[in-house]
Amino acid sequence: MSNSSVAPSSFEFTVFSDLGSLRYLFFCLCLLLFMTIISANVVIILSVCLEKSLHQPMYIFICCLSLNSVYGSVGFFPRFLMDLLSDAHLISRPFCFTQMYVIYTYVGHEVSLLTVMAYDRLVAICQPLHYHSKMTFWAVLSLLVFTVLYPVFILSYFFYLSISLSLCGNALKHIYCTNWSILLLSCVDKVVNNITGQCLAVASVFIPLFFILYSYLRILLVCRRSSAEFRGKALQTCLPHILTFMNFCISVFIEISLSLYKVDDVNPIDVIVLSLEFLIIPPISNPLVYGLNLPQIRTAHRHFRNNKELCVYMRCS
């Protein structure tokens, strides 16, 4: 192997070098967004964990969705905030692949959770008499294990191929490590990686998408034959999930489009904004969608806040 194809020990994010004094504005805005994401999702997590009336499958899945948002945000923002203020934007090879693993598994867990939540709504609306017999504690636990292990299993071989690639450069034209940006540095044929990537897309995106669409087609057919009151209740429980799923699909589509587009022709600020949309909008919108649309979570949050204020008052008095 020639010296030009030796695997680099570190990568450089070239997008940050063109920001100039705007980096400080971006830092303040992104720090505020990071704190908002963590705070909003922690409120959902605490509301579900502390309120016994919310210890039901649907709310447990919502809690896991918020946990995944915290996982993805913590895996991305600290390094990103450091890059905004730093003059050197180097990231070590192991940390680069670790960051990529966290972000990709965050996406995989999000898709799996949305799929499981669609199944939960399918059983609740289409088979209400069998809901409690099907969505038992062990069934919910098995579904949660599936949401965690399925993306890891799907991504394992894909990451092995990416790590073993011979690279001829270290400049990444992105704000975080992505498989596509690393593939562009490859010195060898990328056919196997491209085929693996297509299979990964089918297994991790299109199959869950097909199941979610199938679930809502079944729900729609049941609602057509039901009363207006039943349709109203079904819409109330399904609307947050539909909004979350559509929002996530749009975010992923933007990120995939950005990866396939020649970023050399795109303004660096546009690259940062579009990439952040993928990592900011779903985590910050999920608590708002579920917190505003589901009265049970609003009530639990109000009850939790009142208890906290009472404890503070008693402590002060």
Side-chain angles (χ1 to χ4, degrees):
M1 184 182 293
S2 62
N3 292 333
S4 60
S5 62
V6 174
S9 60
S10 63
F11 298 98
E12 180 182 9
F13 298 123
T14 59
V15 176
F16 295 101
S17 59
D18 299 325
L19 289 180
S21 59
L22 287 175
R23 68 173 66 182
Y24 302 107
L25 175 62
F26 269 105
F27 175 83
C28 294
L29 291 175
C30 291
L31 179 60
L32 178 62
L33 285 170
F34 177 48
M35 295 173 63
T36 303
I37 289 171
I38 298 299
S39 302
N41 283 283
V42 166
V43 167
I44 297 294
I45 294 168
L46 290 177
S47 298
V48 174
C49 291
L50 298 179
E51 184 61 41
K52 291 184 179 181
S53 62
L54 298 183
H55 293 177
Q56 303 174 33
M58 181 175 72
Y59 302 109
I60 292 173
F61 296 141
I62 292 173
C63 178
C64 292
L65 204 64
S66 291
L67 278 172
N68 189 51
S69 296
V70 173
Y71 165 72
S73 299
V74 170
F76 165 73
F77 272 100
R79 170 71 204 196
F80 174 69
L81 292 171
M82 184 180 71
D83 281 324
L84 284 174
L85 294 182
S86 176
D87 292 325
H89 308 109
L90 295 175
I91 182 172
S92 67
R93 183 182 176 92
F95 195 85
C96 179
F97 282 102
T98 301
Q99 184 189 56
M100 186 167 67
Y101 173 83
V102 170
I103 292 175
Y104 280 25
T105 50
Y106 152 72
V107 176
H109 293 153
E110 191 91 355
V111 174
S112 299
L113 277 169
L114 291 173
T115 305
V116 168
M117 292 170 75
Y119 172 74
D120 176 69
R121 292 300 85 202
L122 174 67
V123 176
I125 295 174
C126 298
Q127 302 174 3
L129 298 179
H130 301 282
Y131 181 76
H132 293 291
S133 62
K134 287 192 173 184
M135 300 301 293
T136 62
F137 170 80
W138 291 111
V140 172
L141 182 62
S142 300
L143 289 172
L144 291 177
V145 170
F146 165 79
T147 62
V148 173
L149 296 183
Y150 181 71
V152 174
F153 176 77
I154 292 294
L155 289 167
S156 296
Y157 182 64
F158 183 67
F159 272 98
Y160 169 76
L161 292 177
S162 299
I163 292 172
S164 59
L165 275 175
S166 297
L167 306 177
C168 294
N170 72 333
L172 301 180
K173 297 175 182 178
H174 215 285
I175 63 173
Y176 59 87
C177 293
T178 65
N179 180 70
W180 183 254
S181 60
I182 291 177
L183 279 179
L184 294 176
L185 303 176
S186 175
C187 307
V188 297
D189 187 22
K190 301 184 283 287
V191 174
V192 175
N193 292 76
N194 290 333
I195 294 175
T196 305
Q198 293 171 4
C199 295
L200 173 68
V202 171
S204 61
V205 177
F206 291 104
I207 292 178
L209 174 63
F210 174 79
F211 180 81
I212 292 173
L213 293 177
Y214 165 77
S215 299
Y216 277 104
L217 178 61
R218 289 274 308 274
I219 291 172
L220 180 63
L221 293 175
V222 170
C223 289
R224 284 186 61 186
R225 300 192 299 264
S226 304
S227 64
E229 182 182 359
F230 181 88
R231 288 196 295 269
K233 291 181 178 179
L235 178 63
Q236 184 182 28
T237 59
C238 291
L239 184 60
H241 181 266
I242 294 173
L243 293 175
T244 302
F245 178 69
M246 291 179 62
N247 175 58
F248 188 75
C249 287
I250 293 172
S251 301
V252 171
F253 175 77
I254 291 175
E255 173 61 18
I256 293 175
S257 301
L258 182 63
S259 299
L260 299 178
Y261 196 77
K262 292 183 179 179
V263 292
D264 292 332
D265 303 330
V266 183
N267 188 296
I269 295 179
D270 294 337
V271 174
I272 291 177
V273 171
L274 291 174
S275 298
L276 286 177
E277 195 276 343
F278 163 67
L279 290 160
I280 286 178
I281 301 301
I284 205 171
S285 64
N286 290 350
L288 295 176
V289 167
Y290 287 106
L292 293 175
N293 282 280
L294 294 179
Q296 293 87 343
I297 290 183
R298 291 202 307 271
T299 303
H301 176 228
R302 195 180 304 115
H303 178 68
F304 172 71
R305 186 179 59 190
N306 292 338
N307 285 344
K308 183 178 179 181
E309 291 175 352
L310 179 61
C311 290
V312 172
Y313 173 76
M314 294 179 64
R315 208 177 285 126
C316 292
S317 59

